[in-house]
Amino acid sequence: METTSLSRAVNAEFAPSTTYLNTSTCGLLPRRTVAAVRTLAEAVGSGSRADSGDFEAVEAARSGFARLCGVDADRVAVGSSVSVHVGLIAAALPPGAEVLAPEGEFSSVVSPFAVRGDLSMRYAPLDRLADAVGPDTALVALSSVQSSNGRIADLKAVRAAAGTHGARTLLDATQSAGWLPLDAGDYDYTVTGGFKFLLCPRGASFLTVTEEAQRTLPPVFAGMYAAEDPWNSTYGPVGQLSRTARRYDEPPAFLSYHGAEQSLALLNEVGVEAVHAHATGLAARMRAGLAGLGHEAVPGESAIVAVPGLGAREPELARAGVVVSNRAGSLRAAFHLYNTEADVDRALDVLAG
C-alpha cells in the first residue's frame, strides 16, 4: 500500500516511548517543533541574538491556525491560554447579561464569567443546550468536544438557536482543533489552547473574532504588540491599535510560538480530514474492543473515548506503559495522528488482563 502523507509525517516526526493515548491532556511535540524551540533557547542562552524571538514565527503560527480553521489571519489573535481569551470576552459583557453553558463545562470556559459576580450564569445539559437558549441569553459558551468525556456538541443546533434569539456564540475548540474540521467563522468567538491536538508547546493559544464582534470587544489587554506599528509604540499610550484582531494579542511567548509555527505547518501538510478519519477510526476500534470486554464507553464518533467508572484503572495502565487519563471517574483515551491500531490493542490487552 502506498505510504500516505500522514504515515510519512508520523515516521519523520514522532517516536513515542510509550503507548501514548493522552492527547486530551497534552499532545506530543513533533521533532521539528522540539528542534525549533531548542534552537531559539540555545541562541538566547548564548547571547548570540539581540532579542528573544522572531515575530515572523508568531505570524506564521497565526496564519497556520487560520488556515486550519477556515478564516483569514486578520481575524486571529494570539495569546497564552484559553482563560485569558475568555476573560477578555467576559470583560465586554454588560452587567446582568445571561451566559448559557453546558453542565460540567471545562472551568476555563465558564470561570471568567462566573467570577465577575454580576452576570447571570445558566447551565443546561449538553444535549438540551440549544433548547435552553432564550430571548435573555447574551452569549452561549461551550466546547465543541467535552473534555471530560469526548462528547461532541450539536453545534449546528446551538448556532441556529443563538441566531434565532440574537445571542452570540463562544466556542472552545481546544479538544477538537487539529482532528475535527472547524469553520471558526461560524462563531462570534473561538478560543483554542494549542498544547493538545494542535501539538504546540504550552503557552500558545488562539482567539478568533468575527468582524462584527470586533466592533464591541474592547482591547483591554492592549500593549505595544497590539499596536498598528508595535516598534513605534514602545513608550506612552499606544496611538493606533491594530485594525485587525491583532489588537487583542498578548505579548507572545516566543519559545512557544517558534514551536507552534512548526506544529501547525505539519498539521496543514497532513490535513485535518486525514487526521479525522485516522483518529476516529482508532477510537471506533477502541469502543468496539471495550464493548467486547463488557465496558460501555460514552457513545459517539469522537476521537476521545471515555468509559465511566473505569478511571481507577489509569495507574494500572500507566505501569504497563499505556498513558491515558482519569477524568471525573472516567477512563479517557484520546487518539491522534501518531497513534496506531497496535496502540488500541495494547490498551485493550492491559484492560483484559
Side-chain angles (χ1 to χ4, degrees), residues 190-213:
T190 72
V191 293
T192 308
F195 67 101
K196 298 180 188 290
F197 289 91
L198 293 182
L199 311 177
C200 300
R202 186 156 191 160
S205 64
F206 303 91
L207 164 70
T208 71
V209 190
T210 63
E211 291 179 356
E212 192 279 329

Side-chain angles (χ1 to χ4, degrees), residues 20-274:
Y20 191 82
L21 306 178
N22 202 30
T23 301
S24 281
T25 299
C26 181
L28 299 181
L29 297 180
R31 287 191 177 100
R32 67 174 77 176
T33 302
V34 173
V37 173
R38 181 183 293 118
T39 296
L40 177 59
E42 289 175 348
V44 174
S46 67
S48 61
R49 59 182 301 156
D51 56 19
S52 57
D54 296 323
F55 282 102
E56 291 81 4
V58 178
E59 293 310 311
R62 190 195 311 272
S63 296
F65 179 78
R67 181 180 169 193
L68 277 177
C69 66
V71 296
D72 292 336
D74 283 353
R75 292 191 180 185
V76 180
V78 300
S80 60
S81 70
V82 162
S83 59
V84 173
H85 294 313
V86 177
L88 172 67
I89 297 164
L93 292 176
E98 180 183 279
V99 179
L100 174 66
E103 295 173 349
E105 181 56 81
F106 193 73
S107 176
S108 296
V109 180
V110 293
S111 294
F113 301 108
V115 298
R116 267 195 48 171
D118 62 351
L119 299 176
S120 175
M121 297 298 297
R122 193 158 62 86
Y123 303 93
L126 182 67
D127 57 3
R128 298 208 298 270
L129 189 66
D131 295 335
V133 182
D136 295 328
T137 305
L139 178 73
V140 185
L142 75 158
S143 296
S144 48
V145 175
Q146 291 293 296
S147 171
S148 61
N149 54 28
R151 292 177 66 194
I152 302 175
D154 187 346
L155 299 176
K156 183 178 180 179
V158 170
R159 291 196 306 269
T164 296
H165 293 287
R168 283 190 166 151
T169 51
L170 164 60
L171 186 77
D172 179 3
T174 302
Q175 294 289 0
S176 64
W179 72 266
L180 184 67
L182 167 68
D183 185 349
D186 287 341
Y187 307 89
D188 295 284
Y189 316 102
T190 72
V191 293
T192 308
F195 67 101
K196 298 180 188 290
F197 289 91
L198 293 182
L199 311 177
C200 300
R202 186 156 191 160
S205 64
F206 303 91
L207 164 70
T208 71
V209 190
T210 63
E211 291 179 356
E212 192 279 329
Q214 287 181 37
R215 299 190 186 104
T216 56
L217 186 66
V220 296
F221 304 138
M224 63 170 283
Y225 299 101
E228 184 69 20
D229 183 4
W231 290 110
N232 286 314
S233 305
T234 52
Y235 303 106
V238 172
Q240 175 63 58
L241 289 168
S242 172
R243 294 176 175 85
T244 72
R246 194 167 55 78
R247 77 185 71 174
Y248 307 116
D249 278 8
E250 291 180 66
F254 282 115
L255 286 169
S256 296
Y257 278 93
H258 274 237
E261 173 190 10
Q262 301 300 322
S263 295
L264 294 167
L266 171 64
L267 287 170
N268 277 304
E269 290 166 16
V270 174
V272 173
E273 292 78 8

